[in-house]
Amino acid sequence: MNDDICRKIRSEILNISHKSGHGHIPTSFSIVEMLTAVYQTMRHDPKRPDMPERDLFVLSKGHASLGYYCTLAAHGYFSFEDVYGFGAFDSRFGCHPDRTKVPGVEASTGSLGHGIGIAVGMALAAKIAGTTRKVYTLIGDGESNEGSVWEAIMVAVNTKLDNLTVLYDNNQSQGRCLPIMNPAERFRAFGCDVAEMHGHDLSAIKQALARPTDRVRVVVCNTVKGYGCQTLSENVYEWHRRAPKPDELNKLQEELHAGAI
Amino acid sequence: MRAQFKNTVSELAAQDDSIVIVLGDISVYMFKDFWEKHPNRFYNMGICENTLVSVTAGLSSQGFNPFVHTICPFLTDRSLEQIKLDMCYNNFAGNIVTCGATFDYAWDGATHHAYTDLASLRMLPNMEVLHLGSKREVDALIRSQYKSPRPTYYRLSDHPHTIETNTEFGKGTVLKNEGAPLTVMTAGPILTNVMEACRDLPVNLVYFHTLKPIDKALIEQFRDTEILVVHDAYGLYEAISEVPALRMRYHGLPDAFCGWYGTVHDIRKRIGLDPASIRAAVQTLLEDRSQAARPR
């Protein structure tokens, strides 16, 4: 069942990228289980995206928007077909998410290192207001080259935001320039409650999100760019920002549906 | 002006639970009583200006009316992108309050001089930009704008003027209208020097505290005059230029780092923004006009 939803999301990512000519497919693939775990854990109502008592999610690595839109669609916020205009002039679904256009999107992101700070503010607001609201944000390892990510972590720890969960997509994207070695150790050194796991194990991520904590929670997910399609995972630089042609789409769909993800 | 900011916000916060203070380790002692009264709405967050702004946006997203405050260049230059995206683009409002305007920290050198803030923030969609000049303006405009649906920038200085001005948001003030062919336009605390320089000269004098939105209707009244903008920052000249086809000149900052120390008065004198230099600049312009009008 869970494999089915993740496979469906990946399949639609491929279809929409093919149809629109846009999309960062490998980075969108790497976060499918993380996103699905969040949306299967947090309080939300796709039919009432502005439900007052909802939990909040911020995709800080906004360039993975296609994965985000397809996850929202899979959970009923809108149809996959709605997203087929991805990146088109008059589409609601841009290559980076806009909160004023897409139901369920809480913050417009794109420039890296911003979303996590906004999420810290949201979590602090929930504390001040005395609500039980939880805030989740998903950051990338490449994004974590930005100093503002670590500023935000320091502030979150110092303000004791035990209602904030940071999911860290450790997909090794910065191996060619500024890699972050041992991210779990780094987050521990900053004072976070850290869990580390295989980033495509949906149930493990959900268990980590459900476990009570009295600190800022960081879930380091060791992921694979392009996970689910061998062609993508073995050629991540070539496929970093590229849409599949018709024959490529067929091959990728075959790989996706043949694999045991 | 900082003390007025604290007093006004403290008075408002006593009645309004939506106000949250976010400091970058500046003005902390001054806000001591606020901290004691509202510990859950006071955060001396640290020297992390990018995050101060992002957190302010996040607080705003949840219905709070936050005030983020620290030293001008570090908040507005370093965190320009956070203001642009996290506040303006996301349409999350909030109040950005800076101290250390222009050469207030003269003795600290060019790293602490601040003059691009008004011009750069003016260019951001949704932004409201205030170059406050007096304590009265601080009090009145914080009260009128702190719940604005747009991000609002308040620039404070340690050297306010004491001149009576119209404190309505978006409105300028005519301080002298002699029907003269030359109009001096200015903004913020430098008004003290401009007023002294122009007191007995045959010029009109117009003052603004709101640079965005600029009071275009007031500027239009002086369209037929030559306009001399006297300002110790960038931003006012550009704002007045929103009214097309004006005859304008700028007397203000040089295109150079002001690499001296001392006091704000020392630097103003060195670059021609003390009363005598401003007066000389206005007189030169008046003489040029007079010579140009003389029959040959």
Side-chain angles (χ1 to χ4, degrees), chain A residues 145-231:
Chain A
N145 285 180
E146 298 283 2
S148 56
V149 167
W150 303 97
E151 275 187 17
I153 290 287
M154 282 194 290
V155 167
V157 169
N158 197 46
T159 44
K160 300 179 172 52
L161 299 181
D162 59 6
N163 57 345
L164 176 70
T165 295
V166 179
L167 295 102
Y168 180 87
D169 180 18
N170 192 28
N171 66 13
Q172 310 293 324
S173 68
Q174 295 311 93
R176 62 180 172 180
C177 56
L178 184 56
I180 295 176
M181 312 303 290
N182 301 317
E185 284 306 308
R186 295 184 188 226
F187 285 112
R188 278 192 194 99
F190 275 71
C192 302
D193 178 357
V194 183
E196 184 172 11
M197 64 205 56
H198 178 37
H200 300 291
D201 185 339
L202 180 60
S203 60
I205 302 171
K206 287 169 69 175
Q207 282 176 23
L209 298 181
R211 192 171 53 80
T213 184
D214 58 359
R215 284 178 286 161
V216 174
R217 186 207 318 273
V218 175
V219 182
V220 174
C221 292
N222 297 317
T223 58
V224 176
K225 274 193 162 189
Y227 182 82
C229 291
Q230 192 175 357
T231 298

Side-chain angles (χ1 to χ4, degrees), chain A residues 56 97-100 106-108 111 113-114 117-118 120-122 124-126 128-129 133 148 151-152 155 158-159, chain B residues 20 40-41 43-45 47-52 54-55 57-59 61-62 64 81-82 85-86 89-92:
Chain A
L56 306 173
D98 183 335
R99 75 172 194 91
T100 67
E106 302 285 355
S108 307
S111 182
H114 286 241
I118 297 174
V120 169
M122 291 172 168
L124 180 60
I128 297 170
R133 168 170 288 158
S148 56
E151 275 187 17
V155 167
N158 197 46
T159 44
Chain B
V20 179
N40 67 331
R41 292 195 276 139
Y43 297 89
N44 179 22
M45 207 152 266
I47 304 167
C48 49
E49 292 82 6
N50 292 171
T51 296
L52 300 184
S54 298
V55 165
L59 288 165
S61 77
Q62 301 305 302
F64 286 98
E81 192 183 49
Q82 276 75 16
L85 297 179
D86 301 357
Y89 178 53
N90 265 285
N91 206 16
F92 293 144

Side-chain angles (χ1 to χ4, degrees), chain B residues 241-274:
Chain B
S241 299
E242 285 185 34
V243 178
L246 298 175
R247 287 177 293 137
M248 293 173 63
R249 294 173 187 240
Y250 174 69
H251 180 79
L253 299 175
D255 183 19
F257 289 104
C258 295
W260 310 284
Y261 305 103
T263 68
V264 60
H265 307 296
D266 294 329
I267 295 185
R268 281 178 176 174
K269 187 171 184 180
R270 179 66 176 75
I271 64 173
L273 283 170
D274 60 308

Side-chain angles (χ1 to χ4, degrees), chain B residues 82-107:
Chain B
Q82 276 75 16
I83 297 171
K84 171 190 166 196
L85 297 179
D86 301 357
M87 299 184 78
C88 295
Y89 178 53
N90 265 285
N91 206 16
F92 293 144
N95 301 283
I96 302 166
V97 184
T98 65
C99 57
T102 307
F103 304 122
D104 276 7
Y105 292 130
W107 52 82

Side-chain angles (χ1 to χ4, degrees), chain B residues 2 63 96 132 149 156 159 173 176 270 284 286:
Chain B
R2 262 201 275 181
I96 302 166
L132 302 175
L156 309 183
H159 302 277
T173 304
K176 244 166 68 111
R270 179 66 176 75
T284 300
L286 287 170

Side-chain angles (χ1 to χ4, degrees), chain B residues 39 89 99 126 144 147 168 196 207 223 233 242-243:
Chain B
Y89 178 53
C99 57
N126 288 335
S144 75
K147 288 198 279 193
E168 186 180 349
E196 185 179 336
Y207 170 82
R223 161 175 294 287
E242 285 185 34
V243 178

